[in-house]
Amino acid sequence: MDNNKQFVDVRSPSEFEEYALPGAVNIPLFSDEERAHVGTTYTQLGKEAAVKEGLDIVGPKLNEYYEKMKEVEKQAQGKEIVVYCWRGGMRSRSFVSTMQMLGISCAQLEDGIRSYRKKVMRALEEEQQQKREYVVLTGGTGTAKTEILQRLQQENYPVVDLEGLANHRGSAFGHIGLKRKSQKQFELDLWRRLQELQGSPYVIIEGESRRIGNVNLPDFIMDGKARGIRLNVQLPVEKRISVIMETYEPTVYHNEIRDAVDRIANKLPAEIKEDVYSCLHEYNYEEVIRYLLQYYYDPRYEKAFEQYDREAVKIDSASTEENYVKVKQYVINHLEETGLPVM
């Protein structure tokens, strides 16, 4: 996607944080506070007063903008520099005009980042019409499904890592150690991945619920999951505990783990809550995980598993490595049987 362009985002830091084009550099004309002030001026005193206020803010920063753009120009290594704001309005237009006058070659993105938003939404709607086959990895918490998916993706299998794209592990603890992602950014990143997989007759995903952290999955993913071939990955409980310990690093994120336990405590059987908190207080994380698997995650997973009519293929080994080999071999065998290309 536009690999020959270097994007520069002149919106405020919070706008950039919520949603930005890939590889974009943020050179905000206004801080969040300044943007709010200019907006208030526009509402109360009109456009002319807001423009004057904006010029008073931007003027002293021109040298700073110029130096940052010189650095972008250096790092771009010949790529076209494209500047955008939300709608392709005054912020990006004035910035581009000023930089061009100062001798820096750059262009304005017509209609701003909003134009990409429209393109993404159209493409995701069109994906609903695609007849891709779905291979869906399911399995309880800690069965290393994400690791298997990531290894398959490294070998160029058409994996759509939904948790990776959402930057969330899909549970009450799923945000720990990760930065939350907005719906807009998730949909942009999902679109980019689907662009990379154009022409692939199948995709491999993990069986997720509709919501992962802050984001909702589109209908075509949920439909694909419902009709797809399910591979149910299983691991011995001690291995699962080890996977969870490595993934969530409770010794680093003790407070966040405690907060997450608080959020689900009312869903635990009353008779084990005290034991869970006692283990947590003693930093006995392995026992905390064992309790949560037995009394919270596994019962919820088994209930969700009952919704499917089609029986899953069981992938059950003593190690993640063996499960990875089995999943990969199943995919190869199935695709050969159906006449679809492996990759």
Side-chain angles (χ1 to χ4, degrees):
M1 185 192 95
D2 292 324
N3 292 327
N4 62 335
K5 292 181 172 63
Q6 172 59 60
F7 292 109
V8 174
D9 187 325
V10 295
R11 298 174 304 152
S12 67
S14 63
E15 291 176 286
F16 180 78
E17 183 79 9
E18 180 197 14
Y19 176 47
L21 295 182
V25 175
N26 189 209
I27 305 180
L29 261 67
F30 305 124
S31 68
D32 293 326
E33 296 76 17
E34 289 166 345
R35 176 172 173 258
H37 174 67
V38 171
T40 301
T41 302
Y42 183 93
T43 301
Q44 295 178 349
L45 302 176
K47 180 179 179 181
E48 186 174 342
V51 169
K52 183 180 184 305
E53 197 67 28
L55 288 173
D56 289 343
I57 293 171
V58 168
K61 300 180 182 180
L62 282 179
N63 185 62
E64 177 187 344
Y65 300 151
Y66 174 73
E67 292 299 329
K68 287 182 177 179
M69 282 294 283
K70 290 294 289 182
E71 184 62 28
V72 169
E73 190 176 48
K74 179 181 177 182
Q75 297 296 327
Q77 298 182 331
K79 293 181 180 179
E80 180 186 13
I81 299 174
V82 179
V83 179
Y84 68 86
C85 56
W86 173 240
R87 294 186 178 87
M90 185 174 293
R91 283 184 289 180
S92 57
R93 184 167 60 250
S94 59
F95 187 91
V96 167
S97 297
T98 302
M99 290 301 118
Q100 287 176 341
M101 285 191 295
L102 294 173
I104 293 179
S105 177
C106 57
Q108 182 190 24
L109 179 62
E110 186 176 353
D111 295 329
I113 194 175
R114 183 177 63 168
S115 64
Y116 269 86
R117 178 69 180 156
K118 291 178 179 177
K119 184 188 298 186
V120 167
M121 297 312 294
R122 284 196 303 270
L124 294 183
E125 288 172 5
E126 291 168 1
E127 182 66 23
Q128 186 74 41
Q129 309 307 317
Q130 295 287 334
K131 300 301 181 184
R132 300 185 201 257
E133 184 163 2
Y134 277 67
V135 178
V136 186
L137 291 195
T138 63
T141 301
T143 51
K145 302 181 295 296
T146 298
E147 180 181 337
I148 293 170
L149 283 173
Q150 289 174 345
R151 289 185 62 180
L152 289 170
Q153 184 166 333
Q154 288 169 3
E155 294 193 31
N156 295 319
Y157 283 84
V159 169
V160 178
D161 180 4
L162 297 168
E163 290 187 1
L165 292 172
N167 217 28
H168 195 284
R169 302 185 190 95
S171 73
F173 299 79
H175 65 286
I176 293 174
L178 299 174
K179 181 180 174 183
R180 292 184 183 272
K181 186 178 285 190
S182 70
Q183 184 74 29
K184 290 177 182 177
Q185 192 67 54
F186 168 77
E187 288 169 348
L188 173 62
D189 294 343
L190 174 60
W191 171 64
R192 291 178 62 213
R193 180 56 179 157
L194 292 172
Q195 289 288 103
E196 294 172 348
L197 299 180
Q198 271 189 344
S200 174
Y202 76 104
V203 293
I204 306 172
I205 66 169
E206 184 173 341
E208 304 286 352
S209 59
R210 168 72 74 172
R211 189 170 180 85
I212 308 178
N214 284 350
V215 307
N216 289 304
L217 298 182
D219 288 341
F220 70 83
I221 292 287
M222 301 307 293
D223 293 344
K225 174 189 134 180
R227 68 174 186 269
I229 299 165
R230 288 180 299 115
L231 308 183
N232 186 24
V233 180
Q234 299 180 21
L235 267 181
V237 68
E238 295 303 323
K239 293 285 187 182
R240 293 171 66 191
I241 292 171
S242 177
V243 167
I244 293 169
M245 285 287 294
E246 183 177 347
T247 300
Y248 288 92
E249 300 181 276
T251 57
V252 176
Y253 297 106
H254 175 85
N255 291 336
E256 291 85 349
I257 295 289
R258 170 65 185 248
D259 291 343
V261 170
D262 288 344
R263 285 194 294 274
I264 65 171
N266 64 340
K267 298 177 182 176
L268 297 172
E271 63 271 17
I272 71 149
K273 284 184 189 179
E274 186 176 339
D275 292 335
V276 170
Y277 279 108
S278 175
C279 291
L280 194 58
H281 180 72
E282 295 168 1
Y283 303 100
N284 187 353
Y285 300 114
E286 287 87 353
E287 281 304 302
V288 171
I289 294 168
R290 194 185 308 276
Y291 276 122
L292 294 181
L293 288 178
Q294 182 176 354
Y295 294 102
Y296 180 73
Y297 281 108
D298 285 355
R300 288 167 67 89
Y301 174 74
E302 288 168 9
K303 185 175 180 180
F305 204 71
E306 293 172 358
Q307 69 181 298
Y308 298 102
D309 296 326
R310 189 174 182 179
E311 188 174 349
V313 176
K314 190 175 180 181
I315 306 291
D316 187 5
S317 301
S319 71
T320 299
E321 177 63 31
E322 292 176 89
N323 279 342
Y324 165 72
V325 171
K326 287 184 177 181
V327 168
K328 181 177 174 180
Q329 193 58 53
Y330 179 87
V331 171
I332 292 172
N333 291 345
H334 174 71
L335 294 173
E336 287 177 348
E337 289 172 4
T338 56
L340 295 174
V342 175
M343 286 185 284

